[in-house]
Amino acid sequence: MQTLASIDLANANAKSQQLLESFQQRRGRIPNMVRVMAHSPAILQAYLDFNHAFEQTRMTPKLRALIAVSLAQLMGCEYVLSIAAALGTREGITVEEFEAARKGESQDPKIAAALGFARHVIQQQGKASAEETNRLRKAGYDEEEIVEIIGAIVLMVFRNYFNLIVQTEVDYPPVKLDKPLQKSAA
């Protein structure tokens, strides 16, 4: 059961209402996660700004989505996994790519390196050796891209922990951690 209430647009304070309206205009709907974050306009603003920053990076939306899939599975967050599945087709993710990413794998060696690095960082509680970072370089990532991968990991930690703690009610077609994705979902 969700531990914090979702805020309806009409009941939000002025700043949160402004942020929620803007989000709805851009995205067409307001997910439960965002409506719960609206309890704190400052946190909601920070979250939206962090997401917006990725629109200005070199990281492809597809790579960001695959990192989201991989880390949601690893961290045990069905809410984020469900969002990733629902939005995956927009980023061109096939069911096979989605399922591989859940295990930290990809047919593309460069993507596989990023997923492996992201999973390693989570498993090592934020630690990564110079060797791990060098694997990203050898896979073809430069410093800017490595910083962006680190940023994506940090954003996913926030997103996953937030939803695990709040036990956010899934408002997308649900994807279970222990069940393969259905062909129509991604």
Side-chain angles (χ1 to χ4, degrees):
M1 181 173 172
Q2 192 166 302
T3 62
L4 297 174
S6 298
I7 294 181
D8 291 324
L9 187 58
N11 298 329
N13 68 38
K15 179 63 178 170
S16 288
Q17 191 172 50
Q18 174 191 3
L19 293 168
L20 293 171
E21 285 173 349
S22 176
F23 188 94
Q24 188 171 30
Q25 287 173 354
R26 284 192 330 273
R27 306 289 179 161
R29 69 186 293 258
I30 305 168
N32 281 342
M33 172 183 64
V34 173
R35 293 188 319 123
V36 174
M37 283 183 198
H39 283 284
S40 171
I43 295 301
L44 177 57
Q45 181 74 64
Y47 174 74
L48 296 175
D49 288 347
F50 202 177
N51 278 285
H52 178 70
F54 280 96
E55 294 172 15
Q56 301 163 47
T57 65
R58 290 174 39 209
M59 180 182 282
T60 65
K62 183 175 182 176
L63 176 56
R64 194 167 62 252
L66 290 170
I67 290 171
V69 169
S70 190
L71 296 186
Q73 181 71 36
L74 181 64
M75 297 175 77
C77 186
E78 289 182 350
Y79 188 87
V80 174
L81 193 62
S82 297
I83 290 174
L87 302 179
T89 52
R90 183 177 76 191
E91 309 309 340
I93 297 172
T94 66
V95 172
E96 294 76 20
E97 289 172 316
F98 185 93
E99 288 301 316
R102 288 173 86 163
K103 298 179 268 186
E105 300 171 358
S106 174
Q107 293 293 323
D108 180 322
K110 191 171 180 179
I111 291 173
L115 297 180
F117 179 81
R119 292 173 70 88
H120 175 83
V121 167
I122 297 304
Q123 291 166 330
Q124 297 303 311
Q125 300 175 325
K127 297 179 188 93
S129 66
E131 181 181 322
E132 291 295 325
T133 305
N134 283 331
R135 283 192 192 122
L136 288 177
R137 284 188 189 93
K138 288 177 185 170
Y141 293 104
D142 63 23
E143 269 68 11
E144 180 180 0
E145 293 168 307
I146 293 169
V147 167
E148 292 170 0
I149 291 168
I150 294 166
I153 295 166
V154 171
L155 179 59
M156 292 310 136
V157 167
F158 174 75
R159 200 179 278 165
N160 283 286
Y161 278 178
F162 184 88
N163 289 293
L164 287 167
I165 292 165
V166 172
Q167 300 174 37
T168 312
E169 182 180 320
V170 177
D171 54 344
Y172 288 87
V175 176
K176 299 294 184 189
L177 293 165
D178 60 346
K179 298 221 181 336
L181 187 64
Q182 300 300 313
K183 289 283 183 188
S184 62

